[in-house]
Amino acid sequence: MKKQRHDGLKPLSHHHHHALVQAMELKQANAEKTDKSLGQFIRNLIDYWEKDAVYHFRDEEEVLLPLYEVFAEKPDTELMNEMLYQHIQIRSLVYAVRENREDPYEKMNRLGELLENNVRFEEREIFPMIEEAVPDKYLYQVYGKFHRDSYSGF
């Protein structure tokens, strides 16, 4: 039976849902069945990035990982490094889409794949690792420190 996400981390999982929606849209960029223009795809990406994703990454990097580091007996630096590297890759592709119009659809498709992979990795590897290491009391306390997303306010 799948363990339910700790209440303290639910805002981040909720943000992940919106990231998956964005990833799906990015992977559909330049598909024959879409009625969105390149400009619409880019505007949607920038809107999502500036209102939510940049803050979500900060929450994970500046709140969640340091909290894990405090309580983990043997921190899994390999998993933390992988997460941070994925964040770097995503940030660089967002920058590339915004600043360089060369192969924009290819970049958006790749960004969609990276975003989806990052969400799956965090939900399956990072969050369970954190839930195991950090006492409940501190996971509940961290809940109020996370960004409220622009989609639902969660």
Side-chain angles (χ1 to χ4, degrees), residues 5 11-12 18 22 29 31 54 56 70 76 82 99 101-104 117 146 148:
R5 183 67 59 230
L12 296 178
H18 299 299
Q22 183 65 45
V54 72
H56 175 82
V70 166
D76 192 328
E82 176 60 27
E99 302 301 325
R101 299 295 189 243
E102 188 176 314
D103 299 321
N117 291 340
F146 297 133
R148 299 274 179 201

Side-chain angles (χ1 to χ4, degrees), residues 65-84:
L65 289 184
L67 182 66
Y68 167 72
E69 180 71 22
V70 166
F71 290 103
E73 287 183 30
K74 288 182 128 186
D76 192 328
T77 56
E78 188 175 312
L79 287 181
M80 288 190 296
N81 286 338
E82 176 60 27
M83 178 180 154
L84 294 172

Side-chain angles (χ1 to χ4, degrees), residues 10-68:
K10 283 185 179 177
L12 296 178
S13 288
H14 195 77
H15 301 167
H16 282 162
H17 169 75
H18 299 299
L20 290 174
V21 171
Q22 183 65 45
M24 185 175 68
E25 181 174 301
L26 289 165
K27 291 191 311 184
Q28 293 173 350
N30 203 29
E32 289 181 20
K33 295 182 181 178
T34 185
D35 58 350
K36 290 184 183 175
S37 68
L38 174 60
Q40 288 171 308
F41 277 110
I42 293 173
R43 281 190 299 279
N44 288 350
L45 169 62
I46 292 169
D47 187 57
Y48 164 74
W49 182 255
E50 290 179 349
K51 289 182 180 176
D52 294 306
V54 72
Y55 299 106
H56 175 82
F57 279 20
R58 285 182 189 159
D59 288 344
E60 291 177 339
E61 295 168 8
E62 297 176 11
V63 177
L64 199 58
L65 289 184
L67 182 66
Y68 167 72

Side-chain angles (χ1 to χ4, degrees), residues 93-108:
L93 270 174
V94 170
Y95 178 81
V97 169
R98 289 177 83 161
E99 302 301 325
N100 180 355
R101 299 295 189 243
E102 188 176 314
D103 299 321
Y105 289 116
E106 181 181 322
K107 287 180 178 88
M108 285 187 281

Side-chain angles (χ1 to χ4, degrees), residues 81-140:
N81 286 338
E82 176 60 27
M83 178 180 154
L84 294 172
Y85 183 65
Q86 288 178 8
H87 285 189
I88 291 166
Q89 289 177 302
I90 292 166
R91 281 184 174 107
S92 69
L93 270 174
V94 170
Y95 178 81
V97 169
R98 289 177 83 161
E99 302 301 325
N100 180 355
R101 299 295 189 243
E102 188 176 314
D103 299 321
Y105 289 116
E106 181 181 322
K107 287 180 178 88
M108 285 187 281
N109 294 158
R110 177 74 181 124
L111 179 57
E113 290 172 14
L114 286 171
L115 195 55
E116 180 181 1
N117 291 340
N118 175 254
V119 167
R120 303 284 186 220
F121 174 71
E122 289 178 3
E123 289 289 337
R124 294 175 182 159
E125 302 289 333
I126 298 294
F127 287 6
M129 172 183 80
I130 289 168
E131 289 169 329
E132 186 176 316
V134 178
D136 282 351
K137 170 185 173 180
Y138 297 100
L139 286 175
Y140 284 117

